[in-house]
Amino acid sequence: LDAVRTRLAPELAELRLDRLEGRVAASRRPDGLELSIHGLRVVSGDGLHLAPTDFSLSLISGEHAGGRLRATRLELAALAGLAAQLPLPAQVRGRLAGFAPQGEVSDLRLEWQGAAGAPARWTLAARFAGLGLAAEGRRPGMSGLSGAIEGDERVGRFRLDARDARLALPEVFADGPLVFERLQAEGGWQRREGRLELALDALSFDNPDAAGTAAGRYWMEAGGAGEIELTAQLDRADGTAVWRYLPRVVNERTQAWVRAAVQHARGEGASLRLQGRLADFPFRDGNGRFEVAIGLRDGVLDYAPGWPAIEGIDGVLRFRGPGLRVEAERARIFGVALAGVVADIPDLDTRRGGPMTITGRARGPSADFLRFIADSPLATRIGALTDSLRVEGEGELALRLTMPLRAVADTEVEGEYRFTDNRVGVLAALPPIERAGGRVRFTRDGLSIPEARGRWFGEPL
């Protein structure tokens, strides 16, 4: 047929086709509809193409409602585009529109008993390529998935082998879908003790941010987010991409700080453990477990505007429960070695938790300590006090920053610098203070010297 114009039911929109080929058989009975198509090829009026396929559909209404669907090949986007004009149950048409399916399904066998929108029993077997479904509400979305599935409402198996796949979890991640250059997985499902358990036996993935493996279980929950048990190992991870994987429980200000602060970090090995009801995430009350550990090498933490960045971080970035913690075995500021550096956010949701704290110690040239003061916001508070000082010798710095992530500019700073046997030139016209030692304390607002000693003009000072 050419130039087809038809309305298949009074309540449907007109179906307009440029070309329709194939053999069609249909029969309507008091309790249902039988439809079979052989070698169907469709070209719609808006340029939509459906490649040749064999298709059969049986719908039964009444007390024994159900149906059966067989197809050699289905192009989901094309069918979804035609669904509004086909004599399908209104629930089916509505679900198709909401899912916005993409990709191709082949060797499809689907049977169900009960209402099409919520069947009491069903069986399914199919292969698929480039499969995609739109995310909506709590329902995840996906694209680019290929593999196979077979099972029923009680037990089944699936296999995935995808390239350039995307997974959207709008209830979990706010930054958009997760992208995978490679995604392979095997698993299944089984109904136990009234709950449906999804099993991920093996998963391997690779994307620009990370590569690794995972396995776990997920139990669906009526009216809730369900329960999960998941472990993962990462062979490679980019520490600068951590912010992309922070769940929605982390508010926008904290996510923005993590994105801006972690300037550079090469991940060397990482692990994840997630266990508990997702409604209780991130398990502040200890009723679940969430732990992520990422080994960092050569990291750069730009923790607050105006303050010198901590560089060369070798250590571990940990998420544990609601908090984040960076523990650095080694780091440096201006080339001065730091030790015992800890950056701690007790609760990433800053509406609940306290501020971030950064603590650390450094030993190095006193001249670099003056440079730290001169290059920090403290310099504007104390004027040019340190500009004329000339120092030779070494000392030890203890530093603590308390940073409200909702207002990073209000960062509080506490520091103390201890030095001994230094040589301090105060003014160019005067001799330096020899064998100088003491303590210098500073905050964001000022600087004090509670204790100092030395020899000046050959006499004790």
Side-chain angles (χ1 to χ4, degrees), residues 89-101 116-119 133 136 139:
Q91 273 189 313
V92 173
R93 288 200 305 273
R95 299 283 293 257
L96 278 173
F99 281 119
L133 299 173
E136 182 179 2
R139 187 186 71 219

Side-chain angles (χ1 to χ4, degrees), residues 61-79:
S61 58
E63 182 180 354
H64 302 290
R68 183 180 67 251
L69 176 64
R70 299 283 189 275
T72 57
R73 178 182 179 186
L74 294 177
E75 296 179 29
L76 298 181
L79 285 176

Side-chain angles (χ1 to χ4, degrees), residues 281-449:
F281 184 88
F283 314 121
R284 291 182 178 85
D285 300 326
N287 50 356
R289 185 176 180 183
F290 173 58
E291 294 181 2
V292 177
I294 304 174
L296 298 179
R297 293 295 177 268
D298 197 25
V300 176
L301 189 67
D302 188 5
Y303 49 88
W307 289 92
I310 301 174
E311 302 174 327
I313 297 173
D314 289 349
V316 180
L317 185 153
R318 300 182 189 275
F319 292 90
R320 181 171 292 167
L324 176 151
R325 186 178 178 95
V326 179
E327 300 169 348
E329 302 167 3
R330 289 176 295 276
R332 63 181 184 270
I333 293 180
F334 297 138
V336 177
L338 297 172
V341 175
V342 174
D344 187 34
I345 306 177
D347 198 325
L348 286 164
D349 185 349
T350 55
R351 293 167 297 183
R352 293 172 172 264
M356 177 178 185
T357 59
I358 299 177
T359 58
R361 305 186 72 85
R363 182 165 186 84
S366 297
D368 285 329
F369 166 70
L370 293 180
R371 182 181 169 196
F372 176 85
I373 295 295
D375 286 359
S376 75
L378 185 58
T380 60
R381 305 269 181 167
I382 63 175
L385 178 63
T386 61
D387 289 356
S388 62
L389 294 180
R390 300 295 178 264
V391 182
E392 298 175 19
E394 293 192 347
E396 184 172 310
L397 171 66
L399 181 65
R400 178 184 178 89
L401 297 99
T402 304
M403 184 184 312
L405 295 177
R406 287 177 292 184
V408 176
D410 295 333
T411 296
E412 295 294 334
V413 180
E414 298 177 55
E416 182 173 277
Y417 187 73
R418 291 176 175 267
F419 59 101
T420 58
D421 203 21
N422 277 218
R423 194 166 185 262
V424 181
V426 181
L427 295 172
L430 295 174
I433 301 172
E434 305 286 350
R435 298 171 61 184
R439 294 180 295 142
V440 179
R441 290 179 179 171
F442 60 93
T443 66
R444 187 186 68 164
D445 300 314
L447 180 147
S448 64
I449 304 175

Side-chain angles (χ1 to χ4, degrees), residues 31-51:
D31 64 345
L33 173 71
E34 294 278 350
L35 175 67
S36 66
I37 303 173
H38 177 72
L40 175 68
R41 175 176 173 269
V42 175
V43 179
S44 74
D46 57 4
L48 186 146
H49 292 256
L50 184 64

